[in-house]
């Protein structure tokens, strides 16, 4: 296996696991808050689920980018493409925007969602407002994903 | 625009007719009542006494919750079952149902049952007490003691048993063990009266409890032993159990009252609401004054109904005065097709009275955006079918109906845009696909930004309308109009090989912004403030770029759907159960993707409306229209 391919795979791995860390921490924060609220009022489970799941999208963006790299390298069967070292580095760097933007955005979205969950505890009717607040934080993970997709698309193998 | 006109309603009526009239308003359900400035008008306000109603509501609810349903329904059927319907004119009749007696009888049975359970617990305690003494095979009356001898029973620790025996045998006393358990032993001691103190001294060295059967002695009839007592208790217990069964049978027979009680509950609930509404009236000795709001479209109908209801009621419907402007309730009034999108507007907050209702403007964008974000025809079909099924089966009303209809629309949107830009469950329909965002993201990005640019321009235009209506005609046309000229011409100037005409238009727009943004009379201040206003172009730029999320989110659903399919394909190759695993992965994976994707699509499309679109022109802060109407929990009133 060439060094170029190895670097490209490193990029895919970074995108998936760094973004995944962000989501895991984010959902962890939101989930703790949700469980706390449900200890008072278990019937809120249904309306708390979307708020708790919202920081999960960052991990999906990372996974998605990793998958695009896998597709690009032909690792899912068929002819495996052997990129040069430069191309491998290019692919790896292309994965950085989604990885790091998702890491930070996931954690902070978790915090925003956790306080949103406390808000829902007091005002159950306003559940969409904290969702929109969370979406404000998510924007930067979305932009990271966008940059990664466009960069990957631009690299010719 | 699409905010319905509202008329101020003023009603003067005899006090005796107040409750009847409010009850009638409830049935009509078209008028809102407001509190009055009682002190200013020197009117009395009626005191509100609702505790009696609340108590009855609580008691009836308790009975309803505990009664079994006459025809039990399960799961989905229960969830979807529409509420039973009653004619509103039956309200008076339902109050005569005699619910007080039913509830009291039921509660009496419940109290009896609770007492019996209490008794059973008591008996069980007694049994617990007597059981260790079962081995005492002597009639109890022999245990009352003798002339010169004392007879005591005690519970001691098992480990002390030998010790006690040893010490007692040194005295003229007899000790025998009745029974022994793991930790405890029950003993019978017989000793001479004169030894009382010595024996007690010995016992005081150990942990023990005397067992007294004193309370039984008086009840003895003959030669009963402990075993006989236990048998008696067992009998009592089973008798109590039988009685409980009997009571429960009687209680179940109350199930026939369940549906009437449900109706009575709702009637009482409305009676309570009626009193609360009637208490808003201002009172003099003989008359009552009510004030509130009616949608203008219902005004004539109300007038006609009120005159038919009673001749003694004076009703005045008029246009709101300018000083009442802030209190006017807001009713959104949109064509039936657009109505579901009011959900989005309402979430942000109703527009201020006299403001712009954004629903009709955001509707097409929201429709398209959710379609582009999810871009899955198959998921759209699932959403559309599920929401349609719910709408048909459960016949929801009000907000739920609007939301479900919105979901149905969004399903349709996905069927359209999923076919054009995505696929059906991850499988693209190749001949129909316009742009494949995975292979060809740039055109999709341009499409997203173009839609964004159009919406940003629309929001600028609406802000022009808002300024114009406020009377700032010059600012509206020069500044907002300036942006409307500047931005498109600048864009096309660069897109179309820089034709000079567009360049000039750009400068004209910029000039409007530079010279009319600041109200200052100082020409320099005006100029430099204007230049700073021109810097606001970055806002337009970033708002438009924000729409690039449509590409990213659309891509996400599509790729995850593809991943699910390839995983299912790999699983298909497993021996023996491959097909089962593949089906599970396919169904579970797509369901997960649908849930997460829809959440993202919904929330981000909403954000685009709230932040990028509403920012320039929309002012929330209107009060919702809350008419006096029949509310329901268990049943539904029909006219």
């Amino acid at each position: 296996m060439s060094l170029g391919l190895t670097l490209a795979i490193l990029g895919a791995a970074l995108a998936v696991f760094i973004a995944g860390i962000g989501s895991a921490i984010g959902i962890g924060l939101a989930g703790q808050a949700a469980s706390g609220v449900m200890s008072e009022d278990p019937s809120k489970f249904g309306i708390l689920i979307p708020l708790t799941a919202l920081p999960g999208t960052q991990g999906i963006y990372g996974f998605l980018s990793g998958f695009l790299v896998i597709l690009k390298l032909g690792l899912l069967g068929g002819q495996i493409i052997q990129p040069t070292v430069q191309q491998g580095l290019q692919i790896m760097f292309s994965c950085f925007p989604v990885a790091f933007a998702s890491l930070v955005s996931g954690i902070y979205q978790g915090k925003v969602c956790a306080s949103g969950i406390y808000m829902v505890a007091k005002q159950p009717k306003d559940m969409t407002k904290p969702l929109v607040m969370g979406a404000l934080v998510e924007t930067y993970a979305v932009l990271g994903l966008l940059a990664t997709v466009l960069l990957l698309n631009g690299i010719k193998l | 625009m699409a905010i319905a006109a509202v008329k101020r309603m003023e009603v003067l009526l005899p006090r005796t007719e107040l409750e009847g009239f409010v009850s009638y308003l409830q049935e009509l359900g078209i008028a809102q009542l407001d509190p009055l400035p009682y002190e200013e008008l020197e009117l009395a306000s009626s005191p509100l006494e609702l505790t009696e109603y609340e108590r009855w509501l609580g008691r009836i609810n308790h009975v309803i919750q505990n009664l079994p349903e006459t025809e039990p329904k399960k799961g989905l059927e229960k969830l979807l079952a529409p509420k039973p319907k009653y004619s509103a004119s039956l309200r008076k009749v339902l109050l005569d149902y005699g619910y007080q007696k039913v509830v009291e009888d039921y509660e009496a049975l419940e109290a009896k049952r609770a007492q019996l359970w209490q008794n059973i617990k008591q008996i069980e305690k007694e049994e617990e007490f007597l059981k260790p003494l079962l081995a005492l095979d002597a009639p109890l009356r022999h245990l009352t003691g003798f002339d010169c001898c004392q007879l005591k029973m005690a519970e001691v620790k098992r480990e002390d048993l030998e010790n006690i025996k040893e010490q007692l045998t040194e005295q003229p006393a007899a000790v025998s063990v009745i029974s022994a358990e793991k930790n405890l032993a029950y003993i019978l001691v017989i000793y001479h009266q004169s030894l009382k103190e010595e024996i007690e001294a010995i016992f005081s060295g150990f942990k023990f409890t005397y067992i007294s059967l004193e309370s039984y002695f008086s009840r003895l009839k003959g030669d009963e032993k402990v075993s006989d007592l236990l048998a008696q208790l067992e009998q009592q217990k089973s008798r109590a159990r039988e009685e409980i069964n009997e009571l429960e049978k009687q209680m179940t027979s109350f199930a026939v009252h369940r549906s009437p009680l449900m109706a009575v509950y709702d009637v009482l609930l409305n009676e309570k609401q009626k009193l609360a509404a009637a208490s808003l009236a201002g009172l003099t000795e003989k008359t009552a004054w009510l004030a509130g709001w009616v949608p203008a479209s219902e005004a004539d109908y109300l007038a006609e109904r009120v005159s038919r209801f009673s001749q003694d009621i004076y009703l005045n419907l008029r246009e709101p005065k300018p000083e009442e402007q802030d209190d006017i309730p807001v009713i959104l009034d949109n064509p039936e097709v657009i109505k579901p999108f009011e959900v989005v507007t309402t979430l942000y907050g109703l527009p201020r009275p006299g403001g712009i209702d954004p629903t009709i403007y955001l509707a097409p964008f929201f429709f398209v955006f959710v379609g582009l974000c999810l871009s899955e025809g198959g998921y759209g079909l699932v959403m559309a079918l599920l929401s349609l099924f719910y709408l048909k089966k459960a016949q929801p009303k009000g907000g739920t109906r609007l939301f479900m209809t919105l979901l149905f629309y969004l399903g349709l949107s996905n069927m359209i845009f999923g076919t054009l830009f995505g696929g059906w469950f991850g499988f693209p329909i190749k001949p129909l696909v316009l742009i494949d965002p995975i292979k060809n993201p740039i055109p999709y990005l341009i499409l997203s930004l173009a839609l964004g640019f159009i919406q940003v321009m629309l929001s600028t235009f609406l802000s022009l309308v808002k300024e114009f209506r406020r009377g700032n005609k010059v600012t509206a046309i020069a500044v907002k109009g300036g942006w409307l000229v500047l931005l498109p011409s600048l864009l096309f100037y660069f897109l179309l090989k820089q034709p000079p005409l567009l360049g000039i238009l750009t400068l004209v727009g910029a000039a409007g912004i530079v010279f009319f943004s600041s109200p200052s009379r100082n020409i320099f201040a005006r100029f430099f403030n204007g230049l700073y206003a021109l810097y606001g172009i970055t806002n337009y730029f970033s708002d438009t770029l924000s729409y690039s999320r449509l590409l990213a989110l659309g891509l996400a659903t599509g790729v995850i759907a593809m991943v699910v399919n390839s995983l299912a394909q790999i699983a298909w190759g497993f021996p023996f159960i491959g097909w089962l695993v593949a089906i599970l992965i396919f169904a579970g994976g797509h369901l997960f993707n649908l849930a997460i994707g829809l959440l993202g699509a919904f929330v981000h499309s909403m954000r685009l409306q709230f932040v990028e679109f509403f920012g320039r022109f929309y002012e929330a802060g209107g009060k919702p229209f809350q008419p006096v109407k029949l509310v329901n929990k268990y049943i539904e009133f029909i006219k």
Side-chain angles (χ1 to χ4, degrees):
Chain A
M1 189 182 273
S2 73
L3 180 58
L5 184 60
T6 312
L7 287 172
I9 289 175
L10 175 61
L14 285 174
V16 177
F17 89 77
I18 294 184
I21 291 173
S23 269
I25 297 178
I27 293 192
L29 290 168
Q32 285 169 9
S35 302
V37 169
M38 280 188 291
S39 68
E40 286 273 322
D41 182 3
S43 68
K44 289 223 164 73
F45 181 72
I47 63 171
L48 290 182
I49 276 291
L51 267 175
T52 314
L54 198 57
T57 37
Q58 279 83 348
I60 293 178
Y61 299 154
F63 171 73
L64 166 66
S65 310
F67 188 77
L68 287 178
V69 174
I70 293 172
L71 271 188
K72 203 171 181 67
L73 297 175
L75 291 175
L76 270 190
Q79 188 63 40
I80 296 179
I81 294 166
Q82 298 290 344
T84 62
V85 175
Q86 273 83 0
Q87 283 169 335
L89 277 173
Q90 285 165 4
I91 288 178
M92 190 174 95
F93 285 136
S94 302
C95 290
F96 280 14
V98 75
F100 293 106
S102 294
L103 173 67
V104 180
S105 143
I107 295 171
Y108 277 90
Q109 194 177 35
K111 291 183 178 175
V112 171
C113 286
S115 40
I117 284 165
Y118 295 134
M119 190 192 130
V120 172
K122 295 198 171 165
Q123 329 229 334
K125 280 193 180 148
D126 279 343
M127 95 137 263
T128 327
K129 287 171 186 161
L131 274 178
V132 175
M133 286 295 152
L136 297 184
V137 189
E138 185 164 309
T139 301
Y140 304 98
V142 175
L143 293 181
L145 169 65
L146 197 61
T148 298
V149 169
L150 293 178
L151 286 169
L152 282 177
N153 192 59
I155 298 169
K156 298 277 172 280
L157 293 184
Chain B
M1 272 187 184
I3 297 178
V6 176
K7 283 200 169 166
R8 182 72 172 166
M9 173 185 78
E10 284 158 338
V11 187
L12 212 54
L13 72 170
R15 263 180 89 154
T16 46
E17 291 203 24
L18 177 60
E19 281 197 20
F21 179 66
V22 174
S23 170
Y24 189 61
L25 281 185
Q26 276 185 316
E27 272 168 44
L28 291 177
I30 50 174
Q32 173 178 329
L33 292 178
D34 280 354
L36 297 161
Y38 305 99
E39 282 167 19
E40 206 177 297
L41 298 169
E42 294 180 7
L43 291 171
S45 59
S46 52
L48 192 53
E49 189 45 65
L50 296 177
T51 38
E52 188 63 15
Y53 280 100
E54 273 156 13
R55 201 172 303 142
W56 274 109
L57 285 173
R59 287 168 74 175
I60 295 177
N61 201 24
H62 171 78
V63 176
I64 294 174
Q65 297 298 334
N66 282 296
L67 282 179
E69 283 170 52
T70 31
E71 306 151 46
K73 290 178 181 135
K74 277 189 204 127
L76 198 62
E77 215 181 316
K78 190 172 177 177
L79 198 72
L80 292 176
K83 293 172 176 169
K85 293 185 172 59
Y86 284 80
S87 165
S89 54
L90 280 177
R91 287 163 66 202
K92 281 268 166 332
V93 186
L94 282 167
L95 277 185
D96 293 333
Y97 181 69
Y99 64 93
Q100 293 97 332
K101 175 129 179 41
V102 173
V103 170
E104 273 160 9
D105 286 353
Y106 187 83
E107 283 172 348
L109 291 178
E110 259 187 342
K112 247 192 221 167
R113 183 177 62 171
Q115 184 56 46
L116 284 171
W117 276 120
Q118 192 72 27
N119 290 353
I120 288 181
K121 275 217 181 104
Q122 197 60 41
I123 291 171
E124 277 168 354
K125 253 191 210 158
E126 244 179 89
E127 285 180 333
E128 200 85 343
F129 171 73
L130 286 175
K131 255 190 195 133
L133 308 180
L134 188 60
L136 209 60
D137 197 20
L140 277 183
R141 67 190 166 85
H142 293 172
L143 300 177
T144 47
F146 309 98
D147 292 341
C148 51
C149 283
Q150 277 281 352
L151 194 144
K152 287 250 152 128
M153 277 179 281
E155 177 194 297
V156 298
K157 279 190 168 171
R158 179 88 193 250
E159 66 230 45
D160 297 335
L161 192 58
E162 289 307 312
N163 224 331
I164 294 175
K165 269 189 191 167
E166 215 165 276
Q167 293 195 26
L168 282 176
T169 44
E170 289 163 15
Q171 307 281 347
V175 59
S176 61
V177 179
I178 305 168
S179 65
E181 292 166 11
K182 206 168 159 211
N183 298 315
L184 295 170
Y186 301 86
I187 56 172
L188 180 73
V189 188
I190 304 175
Y191 55 88
H192 194 263
Q193 294 275 26
S194 58
L195 287 174
K196 193 172 179 228
E197 277 169 26
E198 283 90 334
I199 299 287
E200 271 171 14
I202 292 173
F203 269 102
S204 64
F206 302 97
K207 212 177 156 207
F208 77 103
T209 330
Y210 281 130
I211 300 171
S212 164
L213 294 176
E214 203 91 14
S215 57
Y216 293 96
F217 295 152
S218 58
R219 285 198 251 152
L220 291 174
K221 290 195 192 104
D223 288 342
E224 288 106 326
K225 300 174 188 170
V226 171
S227 55
D228 297 324
L229 285 181
L230 278 171
Q232 276 175 22
L233 288 177
E234 193 53 47
Q235 246 177 7
Q236 284 177 20
K237 214 162 78 174
S238 63
R239 219 178 301 136
R241 286 237 164 84
E242 264 167 40
E243 268 179 71
I244 286 177
N245 276 342
E246 192 54 40
L247 281 178
E248 276 178 350
K249 236 180 256 166
Q250 283 183 40
M251 284 160 84
T252 333
S253 73
F254 273 68
V256 290
H257 296 299
R258 194 173 185 271
S259 4
L261 278 182
M262 277 158 58
V264 168
Y265 181 93
D266 278 16
V267 173
L268 277 181
L269 189 65
N270 282 303
E271 287 294 299
K272 190 186 122 190
Q273 298 271 11
K274 179 184 82 184
L275 285 191
S279 78
L280 291 172
L283 302 174
T284 66
E285 198 181 322
K286 290 256 168 63
T287 56
W289 183 23
L290 287 169
W293 303 95
V294 186
S297 55
E298 306 273 11
D300 291 340
Y301 174 71
L302 180 74
E304 187 238 309
R305 295 311 291 256
V306 168
S307 69
R308 213 190 293 168
F309 177 71
S310 164
Q311 290 301 319
D312 297 334
I313 295 176
Y314 165 77
L315 172 79
N316 181 31
L317 296 168
R318 60 170 171 79
E319 296 302 321
K321 293 179 191 155
E323 67 264 26
E324 290 166 341
Q325 195 69 26
D326 284 345
D327 298 325
I328 302 178
V330 172
I331 309 169
L332 299 182
D333 181 26
N334 287 297
E336 204 53 39
V337 194
I338 305 291
K339 225 167 179 35
F341 293 93
E342 284 176 6
V343 171
V344 182
T345 309
T346 319
L347 277 173
Y348 186 84
L350 287 171
R352 297 172 67 83
I356 298 172
D357 174 10
T359 311
I360 196 159
Y361 307 109
L362 68 80
F365 289 102
F366 193 77
F367 181 79
V368 174
F369 290 171
V370 173
L372 290 180
C373 281
L374 200 57
S375 61
E376 243 301 330
Y379 298 177
L381 185 67
V382 171
M383 279 159 63
L385 287 181
L386 281 181
S387 45
L388 204 59
F389 176 72
Y390 187 82
L391 280 171
K392 281 266 172 287
K393 267 277 171 190
Q395 309 252 336
K397 293 259 146 49
T400 324
R401 193 180 72 86
L402 284 187
F403 185 76
M404 281 295 159
T405 321
L406 181 64
L407 270 187
F408 174 69
Y409 282 179
L410 299 182
L412 290 187
S413 156
N414 270 299
M415 284 156 71
I416 299 170
F417 293 102
T419 312
L420 295 181
F421 303 110
W424 286 64
F425 297 110
F427 299 107
I429 303 174
K430 289 248 167 64
L432 293 178
V433 174
L434 279 187
I435 305 170
D436 180 358
I438 299 174
K439 291 207 185 76
N440 227 350
I442 302 299
Y444 201 87
L445 182 64
I446 292 171
L447 174 73
S448 309
L449 295 181
L451 283 170
F453 187 73
I454 294 170
Q455 200 178 26
V456 167
M457 283 297 98
L458 178 61
S459 80
T460 315
F461 176 72
L462 289 173
S463 76
L464 183 153
V465 173
K466 189 181 100 179
E467 284 288 325
F468 196 83
R469 278 208 203 156
R470 280 198 176 159
N472 308 332
K473 296 187 182 165
V474 178
T475 326
I477 292 179
V479 179
K480 306 290 176 184
W483 284 117
L484 279 176
V485 173
L486 169 94
L487 294 168
S489 18
L490 190 63
L491 179 71
F492 285 105
Y493 181 73
F494 286 114
L495 286 182
L496 306 170
K497 298 185 187 140
Q498 310 171 349
L501 176 66
L502 286 176
I504 294 165
L505 274 178
T506 309
L507 291 176
V508 169
I513 298 161
V514 171
F515 291 111
F516 292 96
S517 281
S518 163
S520 170
R521 285 177 180 272
N522 180 332
I523 194 81
F524 287 105
R526 213 180 161 103
F527 180 71
F528 285 107
N529 277 334
L531 274 188
Y532 180 71
L534 201 56
Y535 180 68
I537 196 167
T538 51
N539 283 332
Y540 288 90
F541 189 65
S542 65
D543 280 356
T544 307
L545 284 186
S546 178
Y547 288 80
S548 61
R549 76 186 67 226
L550 296 176
L551 162 65
L553 291 167
L555 211 63
T557 337
V559 174
I560 302 289
M562 251 170 65
V563 174
V564 170
N565 287 347
S566 44
L567 284 180
Q569 203 183 358
I570 294 169
W572 190 267
F574 293 169
F576 306 121
I577 52 158
W579 57 275
L580 183 64
V581 179
I583 289 173
L584 285 180
I585 290 180
F586 186 83
H590 281 299
L591 202 64
F592 167 79
N593 194 23
L594 168 61
I596 291 286
L598 182 61
L599 176 68
F602 204 84
V603 166
H604 280 280
S605 304
M606 209 137 67
R607 173 227 145 98
L608 285 177
Q609 309 307 320
F610 291 173
V611 180
E612 274 77 18
F613 185 53
F614 282 2
R616 286 201 179 72
F617 72 96
Y618 185 57
E619 274 178 291
K623 292 178 192 148
F625 177 65
Q626 291 168 319
V628 181
K629 62 176 181 188
L630 291 174
V631 290
N632 37 43
K633 176 168 173 168
Y634 290 115
I635 63 164
E636 193 184 321
F637 289 107
I638 47 173
K639 290 232 168 90

